[in-house]
Each structure stands twice: as C-alpha cells, then as structure tokens.
Amino acid sequence: MVVRCTKKMLDLLGDRSISFSELPPTEDDWYLNLLWIDRQKCILLTHADTLFSIFRARVRSADLRPIGSYLVAAVESELRAENLPTDTFSKLQPDSVQLAKTASRSTLGFMNEMAFELRYLITDAGGLERCDIDVLNHGLRRTLRNRGEYVRPIELVAHRLTSPT
C-alpha cells in the first residue's frame, strides 16, 4: 500500500525521520491529508482510482504510530461498513505501507473539494461533537464526482469488484 502524503501530513509525521518510496504513481495509491476542524486534527484518506474516502476526526499523533496499522484498520473498517470485502483493495498489510509524496493534482483537487464539503457539513451539524462521522463517511462515498463523467466513489468500487482483473 503506497500512501502519498500532503506536506501538512508529512509535517505532522515528522518527515525528517521518514523514508520515502520513489515508486511511480499508480491508480492503487492512497492519498492522505491533514485537516484542522474545530481545532482538532482530522485526516482524509482517499484511494486514487475510486476516490473511496475515509474521514477520521480527533486523530492524535500517537494514533498514527505505526501509521500502517492505523490506516489499514481504517480502510478495513470502512469497507465492512459498506458491506464490501476487506480485500477490495490490494496490498493492505500494515507492515508493507510505504509513504511517498503526492503525485496527482487531480486527486488532491477532489480531496480539497471533499474537505470543503466536510467543513460545511460539520459546521451545519453544530461542530464535531454533534456530528455523526459514520454518516459523513457514508455521504462522501455517495457524492457525485466529475471524473470526465459524473460518478459516485461507491459505484467505482463496485465496478472494480465486478471487473475482471
């Protein structure tokens, strides 16, 4: 699992002590961004090909060590919440997580749009304390995204499962 981190995320992780993978970008990469909402650290993790996204609120730096265990557990938890097999995305072993710098401006653009939507929805709900994070995650995966044609991330994941590899 290759996780491409934004500069804000790398700063949180302490990028001086992290070794980066120099692998070329692929559709199976994940992108990870740090968001500050209601003075709380939150993360947004997005799969490059399907835009399947996971939002986590009130994340502590200690939660992210080791980062592989935290991210794989988050992905598997959200796949189960969607009644999808936990092996929907290949290479989800905590020990094999490789960090890299971002490579797709398109994916980052989608993530910025999602971050804007999350901030709006959280504010509208009265803040993080009053917000149902599961409902936010459910909605993220069902919002139309324009990838040349309008699609929902959950539909892209379903198509991925039914397509021969």
Side-chain angles (χ1 to χ4, degrees):
M1 175 179 189
V2 175
V3 179
R4 298 194 175 272
C5 300
T6 63
K7 172 95 172 84
K8 286 190 275 185
M9 194 68 219
L10 291 174
D11 289 345
L12 175 69
L13 295 172
D15 65 348
R16 287 167 185 62
S17 62
I18 296 173
S19 60
F20 295 106
S21 168
E22 296 297 328
L23 295 171
T26 70
E27 292 179 341
D28 271 332
D29 291 350
W30 289 84
Y31 282 70
L32 182 61
N33 192 13
L34 173 67
L35 309 174
W36 284 91
I37 301 175
D38 288 353
R39 296 182 176 182
Q40 299 288 321
K41 285 184 220 123
C42 304
I43 62 167
L44 180 63
L45 179 66
T46 301
H47 185 255
D49 184 39
T50 62
L51 299 179
F52 184 91
S53 295
I54 299 160
F55 174 73
R56 290 287 185 262
R58 293 179 284 282
V59 176
R60 297 175 307 130
S61 297
D63 295 338
L64 301 174
R65 289 182 179 84
I67 194 164
S69 299
Y70 182 86
L71 296 179
V72 169
V75 171
E76 289 176 346
S77 171
E78 293 304 316
L79 287 170
R80 280 191 297 276
E82 295 289 356
N83 295 315
L84 295 168
T86 55
D87 63 351
T88 297
F89 301 106
S90 60
K91 301 177 187 168
L92 287 182
Q93 293 96 19
D95 297 336
S96 69
V97 170
Q98 298 176 326
L99 298 180
K101 293 184 179 181
T102 59
S104 169
R105 290 170 62 177
S106 173
T107 303
L108 291 173
F110 285 115
M111 291 179 76
N112 284 334
E113 185 178 322
M114 288 180 232
F116 177 81
E117 293 164 6
L118 286 164
R119 284 187 177 97
Y120 172 81
L121 293 168
I122 290 166
T123 300
D124 190 53
L128 276 174
E129 295 302 319
R130 295 183 170 187
C131 204
D132 186 337
I133 303 300
D134 293 333
V135 170
L136 287 177
N137 276 310
H138 187 81
L140 272 179
R141 296 188 282 266
R142 283 158 182 78
T143 300
L144 287 171
R145 307 281 174 211
N146 187 356
R147 299 197 82 176
E149 62 181 295
Y150 285 95
V151 294
R152 290 178 174 86
I154 197 71
E155 293 169 355
L156 292 174
V157 172
H159 182 266
R160 179 185 180 101
L161 288 170
T162 59
S163 296
T165 52

